Structures are given as structure tokens and as C-alpha cells.
Amino acid sequence: MSTTKIKTAQLWGKNKDDLKKQLVDLKTELAQLRTQKVAGGANSKLTKIHDLRKSVARVLTVINATQRSQLRLFYQKKKFLPLDLRPKKTRAMRRRLTKHEASIVSEKQKKRQMHFPQRKYAVKAEA
């Protein structure tokens, strides 16, 4: 049973099984501390409970981050990305035309531009 805080830098090097095992250990220790608190333990238990909760959060963060990075690698060459891996942006930005779609000119518009080009005016500059 570890009562020291877990450093996130140590967790990044571990594999998934080690992280899962550590998570189970932390959760069992947390459950024991909570029962001791209910039974009337010392106030030092409260800080240990706080540290354990934060350690569990760190382990879960590392697990989720590694899982997301693996999924990003998996979907890198695919045509579509899952919604949670796509950039968030704003709703309006997501619905905006792509650069390709915006640059497309219809046949009718091409003819109109060819036959009626933008007029050029020579404006005299005043001094």
C-alpha cells in the first residue's frame, strides 16, 4: 500500500496492464480508508483520501490519453474520424464550406466571368 503521491511522469512509461493493476490497488486502498474514516479514524486519513483520489485521477488520465493517441494513429489513414477525435471548433465553423467546395465555380458562372469580366477603371489620383 502506497500512501505517497503518484507522479504523472512515472506513469507515462508504464504499459496498460501495469496501469490497470495500479488503478485497482489505489481503489482498494481508497475503499479501506473510507471505511476507516466512517469507523472513526484520525484526521490524517482525510488528506490520504484526497491524495488517493487525485492519484486515481492521474492514472485514469494517463490511460485515457494513451488510448486516444493509439486511436489517432489507427484512424490516421482512414477516410473518416470518430466524432470525439475530430477538432471541436464551433458549430458554425464545422458546417462551413471547405476550401475546395468554396473555390468551385459552376459552368454558368465561368461563362458569365468570361463574357463579362470585371471592368478596370483608371482613376486619376489627386495631389
Side-chain angles (χ1 to χ4, degrees):
M1 300 237 174
S2 66
T3 53
T4 59
K5 291 183 184 177
I6 294 175
K7 299 276 191 277
T8 314
Q10 299 167 349
L11 297 175
W12 288 112
K14 294 186 176 183
N15 63 5
K16 191 176 178 181
D17 296 330
D18 292 341
L19 289 171
K20 292 274 189 186
K21 185 178 180 301
Q22 190 166 12
L23 184 64
V24 169
D25 293 343
L26 287 171
K27 284 188 175 182
T28 54
E29 188 175 351
L30 184 60
Q32 288 174 355
L33 281 176
R34 282 186 174 146
T35 54
Q36 288 174 5
K37 184 184 111 176
V38 170
N43 281 346
S44 62
K45 299 274 190 274
L46 292 174
T47 56
K48 286 182 183 178
I49 287 173
H50 176 267
D51 292 344
L52 275 174
R53 285 179 60 234
K54 300 304 173 189
S55 296
V56 167
R58 284 186 189 102
V59 172
L60 284 173
T61 301
V62 170
I63 289 172
N64 290 334
T66 52
Q67 188 176 17
R68 284 176 67 84
S69 65
Q70 292 296 321
L71 283 172
R72 281 191 195 282
L73 288 174
F74 177 75
Y75 283 106
Q76 204 169 21
K77 303 287 187 215
K78 304 280 191 281
K79 186 174 181 182
F80 297 110
L81 265 179
L83 293 177
D84 60 334
L85 294 180
R86 293 180 194 172
K88 180 80 168 105
K89 298 184 180 175
T90 62
R91 191 167 190 266
M93 288 174 75
R94 290 193 303 267
R95 276 149 184 73
R96 191 185 298 164
L97 292 176
T98 63
K99 287 181 180 175
H100 174 70
E101 291 168 342
S103 67
I104 292 174
V105 181
S106 68
E107 245 352 272
K108 188 174 184 178
Q109 190 66 28
K110 283 180 193 171
K111 288 179 184 174
R112 186 178 291 157
Q113 287 172 349
M114 189 168 42
H115 295 298
F116 304 102
Q118 180 83 39
R119 293 186 177 182
K120 298 180 181 89
Y121 295 99
V123 179
K124 182 180 177 183
E126 295 184 33

